[in-house]
């Protein structure tokens, strides 16, 4: 986790430095346009360097490193999440091909069906959620809120 | 003034106005509950419906719907960790941990009661200030607005998490991201990478949804766990709700102070309502006996932002009605409603329609109270959502998030950026960088830059020497310094 913390802080540092370099060398912004992001970027860079320099290998920087004690009850509650959420990340990203191939209306409903079935939910519940998702998208977003959702696969009109 | 108040009561207590308020409340709550579809979207969608209405019923409809959006948004903030609207992000900090501890009812009871009381305080101050307002608002210039915006970001960055430096990095990154897109002063696009999408910069809704909703969805989908690690029966939830309701009057000073912060911030045009809950949260934490408990499920961390959230609407109405200057982005849209209905807010409006202004204040107060009562009754049912298996709730929420992001501008790039910011939000959550600070920095970034530019142009580099500016700067340094010193000693 400490290594991930350093990597993430370094990523922020690189991100800000990259865009400041783009602004200065590529776009060649005038000072009036550039001074504010430049000043903000310098502050972020300094703070990131401070975090990277003071980072010690034994410092735990994960979320809720210890179980928290609720003020109201005094009970120790373990609010930590297990690590290893890559399956969750991949499944979130997996919604994209469903939308591209089947469009928003059917694609998202189908995604819900496939996800629930592959994670042990029964056909009855999965199909109910499929139909419910279709109905909600159509009635709430397309009819009531009049959102122009692409119905067809990406690129098909 | 007494005549105006009596006339206002008479106008308010008509079937048309009361009917519009009763219709608007569930509409506003529904908009607040849907992630990505917040107060601005609600107003934008509802404004066309008031064409042809009489002025007061039409305005009552819009104002009541807008006033209760944050009440609905607090529910998703607490139950799902997803702010229904950006100002509800402050409620996530302690509301969601309480929900995960199986105490959602307690958090919701407190949030709804604080919202109702905050809304009433905001209205009372509005009514008192309206007749004497003009010199107050005119005393607040660009330097004060600049420092207040900065105060919000700095407070949250330094006080909103367990590691102040990381919080300040997050806040600064939010301000930096706000620099993308067309420069508000010169009109030159910045950091747009020759992309049409980025000419207008990043969008708020994809950022908020990505930062807060996607990480929770990732967790639900990977673990399959319900939100609440402990489930409670409906009777215990009802008990918790009552406990939450009574927690607010037991913290009356906190509630009043947070409400007044909301009103003060709401009064200042341009800062917007997003700062108020975070400033209130920061002050609550600063004054707490156990500030390190914040962020892990402390009820004060729910009461403070919720009471200020609704109080700010009364405050934002003040410059809107009295000067014709919108006190928030929502009020800017509401001004459109005024014009559609043939009214023009400003000093003349108060001279000629002071009774209508008071009626609108009553609308806000009553809408807040009725919305809170309605949600309190429904809470045991609504809180069942925390018991739903993560493998069922996760994909459904993801669908809502994708649709919410797309529906703001019908632009698929908004959905793309939800995923990008979602990854960012996930790692920020895991590594204890404050997502709320980033969001607030993003929201206020353009305000900070614009008012810095105006302040430098109008007053030169020593603009901060104005008395009110020095006061705000002093408060900021004192507040942050106190907590940092306490932490250092601890």
């Amino acid at each position: 986790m400490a290594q991930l913390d350093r990597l993430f802080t370094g990523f922020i540092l690189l991100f800000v430095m990259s865009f400041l370099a783009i602004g200065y060398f590529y776009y060649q912004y005038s000072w009036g346009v550039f001074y504010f992001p430049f000043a903000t970027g310098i502050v972020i860079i300094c703070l990131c360097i401070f975090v990277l320099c003071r980072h010690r290998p034994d410092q735990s920087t994960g979320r809720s490193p210890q179980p928290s004690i609720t003020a109201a009850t005094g009970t120790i509650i373990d609010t930590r999440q297990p690590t290893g959420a890559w399956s969750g990340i991949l499944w979130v990203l997996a919604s994209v091909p469903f939308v591209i191939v089947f469009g928003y209306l059917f694609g998202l409903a189908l995604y819900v069906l496939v996800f629930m079935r592959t994670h042990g939910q029964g056909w009855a519940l999965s199909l109910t959620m499929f139909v419910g998702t279709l109905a909600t998208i159509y009635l709430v977003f397309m009819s009531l809120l009049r959102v122009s959702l692409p119905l067809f696969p990406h690129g098909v009109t | 003034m007494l005549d105006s108040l009596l006339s206002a009561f008479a106008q308010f207590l008509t079937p048309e106005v009361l009917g519009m308020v009763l219709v608007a409340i569930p509409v506003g709550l529904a908009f607040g509950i849907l992630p990505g579809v917040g107060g601005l979207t609600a107003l934008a969608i509802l404004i066309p419906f008031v064409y042809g209405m009489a002025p007061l019923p039409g305005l009552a409809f819009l104002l009541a719907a807008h006033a209760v959006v944050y009440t609905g948004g607090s529910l998703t903030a607490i139950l799902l960790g997803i702010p229904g609207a950006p100002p509800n992000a402050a409620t996530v900090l302690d509301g969601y941990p309480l929900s995960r501890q199986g105490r959602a009812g307690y958090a919701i009871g407190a949030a709804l009661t604080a919202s109702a009381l905050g809304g009433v305080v905001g209205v009372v101050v509005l009514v008192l200030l309206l007749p004497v307002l003009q010199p107050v608002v005119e005393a607040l210039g660009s330097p004060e607005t600049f420092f207040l915006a900065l105060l919000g970001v700095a407070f949250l960055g330094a006080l909103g998490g367990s590691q102040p430096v990381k919080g300040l990095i997050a806040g600064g990154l939010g301000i930096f991201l706000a620099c993308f897109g067309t420069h508000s002063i010169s009109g030159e696009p910045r950091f747009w990478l020759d992309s049409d999408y980025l000419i207008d910069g990043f969008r708020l809704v994809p950022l908020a949804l990505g930062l807060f909703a996607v990480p929770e969805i990732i967790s639900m989908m990977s673990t399959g766990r319900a939100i609440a690690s402990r489930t409670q029966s409906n009777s215990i939830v009802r008990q918790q709700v009552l406990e939450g309701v009574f927690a607010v009057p037991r913290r009356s000073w906190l509630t009043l102070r947070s409400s007044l912060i909301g009103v003060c911030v709401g009064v200042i045009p341009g800062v917007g309502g997003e700062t108020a809950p975070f400033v209130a949260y920061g002050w609550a934490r600063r004054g707490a006996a156990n500030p390190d408990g914040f962020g892990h499920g402390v009820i004060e961390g729910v009461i403070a932002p919720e009471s200020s959230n609704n109080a700010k609407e009364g405050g934002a109405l003040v410059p809107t009605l009295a000067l014709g200057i919108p006190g928030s982005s929502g009020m800017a849209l509401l001004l459109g409603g005024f014009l559609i209905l043939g009214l023009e807010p400003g000093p003349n409006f108060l001279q000629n329609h002071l009774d209508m202004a008071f009626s609108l204040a009553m609308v806000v107060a009553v809408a807040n109270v009725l919305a809170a009562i309605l949600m309190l009754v429904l809470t045991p049912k609504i809180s069942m959502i925390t018991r739903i298996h993560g493998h069922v709730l996760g994909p459904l929420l993801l669908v809502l998030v994708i649709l919410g992001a797309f529906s703001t501008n019908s632009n698929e790039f908004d959905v793309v950026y939800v995923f990008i910011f979602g990854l960012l939000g996930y790692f920020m959550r895991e590594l204890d960088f404050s997502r709320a600070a980033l969001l607030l920095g993003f929201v206020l970034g353009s305000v900070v830059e614009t008012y810095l530019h105006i302040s430098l142009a109008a007053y030169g580099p020593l603009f901060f020497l104005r008395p009110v500016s020095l006061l705000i700067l002093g408060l900021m340094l004192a507040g942050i310094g106190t907590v940092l010193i306490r932490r250092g000693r601890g």
Side-chain angles (χ1 to χ4, degrees):
Chain A
M1 194 64 101
Q3 190 180 14
L4 189 60
D5 194 37
R6 281 196 296 271
L7 276 172
F8 187 72
T9 308
F11 166 75
I12 295 175
L13 179 69
L14 274 175
F15 174 82
V16 172
M17 286 177 67
S18 303
F19 274 95
L20 288 181
I22 289 171
Y24 187 76
F25 294 109
Y26 179 67
Y27 288 110
Q28 297 179 341
Y29 293 129
S30 64
W31 184 243
V33 170
F34 195 57
Y35 82 92
F36 186 77
F38 179 77
T40 307
I42 292 299
V43 170
I44 296 170
I45 288 167
C46 292
L47 290 170
C48 286
I49 291 172
F50 176 79
V51 169
L52 288 169
C53 288
R54 74 157 190 199
H55 215 284
R56 290 191 291 271
D58 60 344
Q59 225 176 5
S60 172
T61 55
R63 188 170 64 91
S64 301
Q66 298 184 19
S68 61
I69 299 176
T70 63
T73 65
T75 309
I76 296 176
I77 304 294
D78 190 347
T79 59
R80 287 172 292 184
Q81 286 274 4
T83 55
W86 291 107
S87 66
I89 292 173
L90 289 172
W91 268 108
V92 166
L93 294 174
S95 60
V96 175
F98 278 87
V99 170
I100 291 174
V101 173
F102 298 102
Y104 279 85
L105 179 62
F106 293 103
L108 289 174
L110 197 58
Y111 170 77
V112 170
L113 174 68
V114 168
F115 180 88
M116 289 179 68
R117 282 296 300 148
T118 53
H119 286 81
Q121 303 300 321
W123 273 109
L125 182 61
S126 303
L127 283 170
T128 304
M129 290 298 131
F130 171 77
V131 172
T133 303
L134 268 179
T136 303
I137 294 174
Y138 185 77
L139 293 172
V140 176
F141 287 89
M142 296 179 71
S143 296
L144 187 65
L145 298 178
R146 295 178 202 162
V147 178
S148 307
L149 279 176
L151 287 177
F152 300 105
H154 194 76
V156 175
T157 53
Chain B
M1 177 145 153
L2 187 60
D3 287 341
S4 300
L5 268 174
L6 291 172
S7 172
F9 267 115
Q11 290 180 51
F12 174 70
L13 294 172
T14 56
E16 294 84 10
V17 174
L18 286 174
M20 282 295 120
V21 171
L22 290 175
V23 167
I25 287 171
V27 171
L29 288 173
F31 275 109
I33 284 170
L34 286 173
V37 185
L40 291 184
T41 311
L43 274 179
I45 290 170
L46 295 174
I47 276 180
F49 288 96
V50 304
Y51 273 104
M53 281 191 194
L56 187 56
L59 288 172
F61 177 71
L62 292 177
L63 200 51
H66 180 71
V68 305
V69 159
Y70 304 110
T71 305
S74 67
L75 245 72
T76 53
I78 290 167
L79 292 173
L80 304 172
I82 302 171
N88 294 120
T91 309
V92 172
L93 298 173
D94 278 277
Y96 188 58
L98 278 169
S99 180
R100 298 197 64 240
Q101 293 161 23
R103 309 197 75 221
Y106 178 54
I108 291 171
L112 294 175
T113 309
S115 295
L117 289 178
V120 170
V121 168
V123 161
V124 168
V125 175
L126 166 69
V127 166
L128 293 173
L129 275 186
L130 266 178
V132 297
L133 181 64
Q134 200 162 345
V136 174
V137 177
E138 285 175 354
L140 298 167
S142 52
E144 288 74 38
T145 308
F146 165 72
F147 279 116
L148 202 62
L150 207 57
L151 174 75
V153 181
F155 250 51
L156 186 65
L159 307 181
S162 60
Q163 298 193 54
V165 178
K166 285 185 171 182
L168 290 172
I169 290 174
L173 184 61
I175 294 176
F176 190 76
L177 291 175
C179 294
F180 284 59
T182 304
H183 186 216
S184 57
I185 296 156
S186 66
E188 188 168 349
R190 284 187 301 205
F191 308 126
W192 62 301
L193 301 179
D194 302 337
S195 156
D196 288 341
Y197 181 85
L198 282 180
I199 281 183
D200 293 326
F202 296 114
R203 315 296 199 267
L204 176 61
V205 168
L207 179 74
L209 287 176
L211 282 181
F212 289 93
V214 172
E216 305 309 324
I217 292 170
I218 289 172
S219 297
M220 281 182 221
M221 284 178 152
S222 60
T223 65
R225 279 202 225 147
I227 292 168
S229 54
R230 295 190 302 192
T231 59
Q232 309 286 5
S233 65
N234 276 353
S235 60
I236 294 179
V237 172
R238 273 191 283 271
Q239 247 180 295
Q240 287 182 352
V241 169
L242 279 175
E243 197 186 328
V245 168
F246 289 118
V248 177
R250 281 196 214 112
R251 292 157 179 82
S252 53
W253 171 233
L254 171 69
T255 306
L256 181 64
R257 186 179 67 196
S258 304
S259 302
L260 290 174
I261 288 173
V263 172
C264 291
V265 173
V267 161
I268 299 173
V271 175
E274 285 78 8
T275 310
F278 295 102
V279 175
Y281 182 89
W283 271 103
R285 182 174 184 164
R286 181 191 160 274
N290 176 27
D292 289 330
F294 277 70
H296 299 288
V298 170
I299 201 62
E300 289 82 1
V302 172
I303 292 172
E306 281 303 311
S307 49
S308 75
N309 233 344
N310 287 58
K312 70 171 176 15
E313 293 305 311
L317 259 183
V318 170
T320 308
L321 295 178
L323 301 176
I325 302 170
S328 65
S329 42
M331 290 299 149
L333 274 178
L334 195 69
L335 264 182
F338 272 92
L339 298 173
I340 287 171
L341 293 164
L343 296 168
E344 197 170 330
N348 291 334
F349 180 84
L350 289 188
Q351 270 183 331
N352 303 326
H353 301 287
L354 187 60
D355 53 349
M356 188 181 287
F358 285 145
S359 293
L360 291 175
M362 289 170 202
V363 164
V364 173
V366 168
N368 273 297
V369 173
L370 289 179
I373 292 171
L374 176 65
M375 297 311 290
L376 282 170
V377 169
L378 295 176
T379 290
K381 294 292 180 197
I382 295 173
S383 66
M384 285 169 62
I385 203 170
T386 60
R387 305 180 210 171
I388 297 176
H389 197 278
H391 286 152
V392 175
L393 188 60
L396 296 177
L397 283 179
L398 183 62
V399 168
L400 279 180
V401 164
I402 290 172
L403 293 172
F406 185 87
S407 64
T408 49
N409 289 307
S410 297
N411 189 328
E412 289 183 306
F413 278 103
D414 285 334
V415 180
V416 171
Y417 279 101
V418 165
F419 290 119
I420 293 173
F421 289 126
L423 283 175
L424 175 68
Y426 177 76
F427 288 109
M428 288 182 74
R429 188 191 68 172
E430 293 300 302
L431 300 171
D432 204 23
F433 283 82
S434 172
R435 294 170 288 164
L438 190 150
L439 179 69
L440 188 63
F442 180 80
V443 168
L444 294 178
S446 59
V447 174
V448 172
E449 181 176 13
T450 301
Y451 283 96
L452 175 63
H453 176 84
I454 296 172
S455 302
L456 288 170
Y459 302 100
L462 299 179
F463 66 89
F464 58 91
L465 292 178
R466 283 161 59 91
V468 180
S469 297
L470 282 175
L471 177 66
I472 297 172
L473 191 57
L475 285 172
M476 183 164 66
L477 294 173
I480 294 170
T482 309
V483 174
L484 293 180
I485 289 169
R486 260 198 237 168
R487 280 219 191 110
R489 284 191 192 142

